[in-house]
Amino acid sequence: MTGKGETWTTIESDPGVFTELIQQIGVKGVQVEELYSLDPDSLRSVKPVYGLIFLFKWRHEKDERPVDSSEDASKVFFASQVINNACATQAILSILLNCPQLQLGQELSNFREFTADFPPELKGLAISNSDSIRTAHNSFARPEPLVPDEQRTAGDDDDVYHFIGYVPVNGKLYELDGLKQGPIMLADAVDQDSWLDEVAPHIQARIARYAANEIRFNLMAVIGDRQAALQQQLAQAQAKRQAVSDKLSGGSGAAAMETDAAGSSAQQEQPLVLPDDEASLQQLLAEAADEAERLQDALAAEQAKRANWHAENIRRKHNYIPFLFNFLKLLAEKKQLKRLIDEALEKQQLQQAERAAKQAKGAIASQQST
């Protein structure tokens, strides 16, 4: 079903795309990271995890699981998918708008407040008619030389992929699929730590249902900004190293310790307490130096990854079509285009003949063996 708003284009399932998309909408302190495993260590390594986005090849199947119609479920932001090609952005929004601890920015905060009492279908229509969300989404569209006047509906032979979200809300774990009638509760009595253990079996079961004929899946986590977290941790490690160095030099380390305490996260409850003997201080100094070096390397790697994401997004958005047209025109003017096309066709025919010969040889060998 397509909404009355403007067209939404297909965007690539990529953590760099989704991270920049979230930033363009105005959300701060969040990024998207791709996951390659559902084991507890892999999931905990990227904490805090606000929600998961799962991409799979959609197919018609009957789902016996009931939709949660309880009062708790009414507090979950759930939007029906009423527009084509927007399920990726809608899955992201389903996580962001169910996490009150996030800095959503003025635009998305106003959107959540405006749609708070809407039914799912109206929430979906509100997404489709949001200029800011649609503009951010469509900014990642690949330039196309020929754009059809009307979008073609996918047929039975087409591969159709779909995004759904998993997010904990008010102590319950929900699966949010815009093609369903409402949120599906997967587990009760979960917290920000235990929900990851609860969600893994559900995703694994979904993958297992497709394992016989489908291996194309994608799992991404909406997590805290790793760059900001590493910068904070590095500041703490450097402050600790300065405090130890200050005490080894005959000072009290008080000033450096105060800096460390001020820069610490909310999880650090106790101030830094330094020993008095030199051997212990030397050991602490070495440990702090190693920790600072490790964090500097991790921060540099994260910054390099962000720079690579940005460069890839620029390439995604850049329109290479005029260059290609001009290049082909130049080849034609120099009488080179037809020759290159003929050589490519000849090479293609040769490769097809070689593949056919190998298949025939394999069939003969199979018959002889039997």
Side-chain angles (χ1 to χ4, degrees):
M1 180 177 178
T2 305
K4 295 182 180 180
E6 297 180 14
T7 300
W8 291 61
T9 60
T10 302
I11 62 175
E12 187 175 347
S13 176
D14 179 84
V17 170
F18 290 172
T19 296
E20 191 168 318
L21 171 62
I22 289 172
Q23 292 171 349
Q24 287 187 20
I25 295 173
V27 182
K28 296 181 179 179
V30 173
Q31 72 179 73
V32 177
E33 196 74 19
E34 192 163 10
L35 298 178
Y36 300 97
S37 174
L38 283 167
D39 66 87
D41 291 339
S42 296
L43 293 174
R44 293 190 180 97
S45 68
V46 293
K47 282 188 174 181
V49 180
Y50 301 114
L52 297 178
I53 302 168
F54 185 60
L55 169 68
F56 61 98
K57 184 177 177 181
W58 183 84
R59 67 185 185 188
H60 290 281
E61 59 180 1
K62 191 173 182 180
D63 192 344
E64 301 289 349
R65 297 175 301 171
V67 168
D68 189 355
S69 57
S70 67
E71 183 178 350
D72 288 340
S74 66
K75 300 174 184 177
V76 177
F77 180 91
F78 178 84
S80 298
Q81 184 178 329
V82 299
I83 43 177
N84 295 328
N85 300 327
C87 57
T89 296
Q90 186 157 326
I92 294 171
L93 292 174
S94 294
I95 293 172
L96 298 177
L97 293 172
N98 279 301
C99 295
Q101 69 272 39
L102 297 182
Q103 301 177 49
L104 295 180
Q106 190 66 40
E107 186 76 28
L108 212 54
S109 295
N110 290 342
F111 179 85
R112 181 169 62 183
E113 182 179 357
F114 175 69
T115 61
D117 297 325
F118 285 10
E121 186 169 350
L122 282 184
K123 283 188 172 79
L125 288 172
I127 292 174
S128 73
N129 291 318
S130 171
D131 291 335
S132 59
I133 295 174
R134 184 177 60 249
T135 299
H137 174 99
N138 286 344
S139 70
F140 293 93
R142 292 184 180 275
E144 297 288 348
L146 300 174
V147 180
D149 293 333
E150 296 182 359
Q151 289 185 318
R152 184 178 68 86
T153 302
D156 294 336
D157 296 331
D158 292 317
D159 288 340
V160 179
Y161 291 89
H162 184 53
F163 292 85
I164 60 176
Y166 296 92
V167 62
V169 182
N170 296 327
K172 295 183 178 181
L173 171 61
Y174 290 98
E175 176 184 301
L176 303 181
D177 181 347
L179 299 180
K180 305 293 186 189
Q181 296 299 312
I184 296 175
M185 190 186 74
L186 303 179
D188 200 352
V190 299
D191 55 32
Q192 195 57 39
D193 292 324
S194 65
W195 81 271
L196 290 172
D197 296 327
E198 295 286 348
V199 74
H202 293 280
I203 298 176
Q204 289 168 337
R206 181 180 285 273
I207 292 175
R209 294 205 304 270
Y210 294 83
N213 53 12
E214 183 58 50
I215 60 172
R216 289 168 291 182
F217 302 99
N218 188 216
L219 179 65
M220 285 177 282
V222 179
I223 66 175
D225 188 329
R226 293 173 66 89
Q227 184 170 275
L230 287 168
Q231 288 172 336
Q232 184 182 53
Q233 293 170 25
L234 178 59
Q236 294 173 23
Q238 291 173 334
K240 180 178 179 180
R241 181 175 60 185
Q242 182 59 39
V244 176
S245 179
D246 176 71
K247 190 159 188 177
L248 280 169
S249 301
S252 64
M257 288 166 61
E258 289 173 3
T259 303
D260 178 74
S264 64
S265 66
Q267 295 178 345
Q268 183 175 344
E269 298 178 354
Q270 298 298 326
L272 179 63
V273 178
L274 299 176
D276 294 323
D277 62 290
E278 183 175 350
S280 297
L281 287 171
Q282 290 288 359
Q283 182 179 353
L284 277 178
L285 183 63
E287 292 173 353
D290 289 343
E291 178 67 4
E293 183 178 0
R294 182 190 68 81
L295 290 169
Q296 284 175 332
D297 291 343
L299 179 58
E302 185 66 28
Q303 290 171 336
K305 181 177 70 178
R306 292 291 187 95
N308 184 56
W309 281 354
H310 183 63
E312 288 181 350
N313 286 338
I314 291 175
R315 287 193 287 269
R316 285 185 178 97
K317 298 177 182 182
H318 185 72
N319 187 1
Y320 293 95
I321 294 167
F323 162 75
L324 293 174
F325 282 166
N326 285 327
F327 182 63
L328 293 173
K329 181 180 178 181
L330 182 62
L331 289 174
E333 290 174 352
K334 292 183 176 293
K335 310 298 184 182
Q336 298 292 319
L337 184 58
K338 185 176 185 306
R339 178 182 61 82
L340 292 172
I341 293 175
D342 291 341
E343 290 177 356
L345 289 173
E346 184 180 351
K347 184 177 180 181
Q348 182 185 39
Q349 291 170 356
L350 180 61
Q351 291 174 340
Q352 291 174 344
E354 290 176 349
R355 283 197 297 267
K358 287 181 180 179
Q359 291 174 353
K361 185 176 179 181
I364 293 173
S366 176
Q367 292 176 354
Q368 290 177 346
S369 63
T370 56

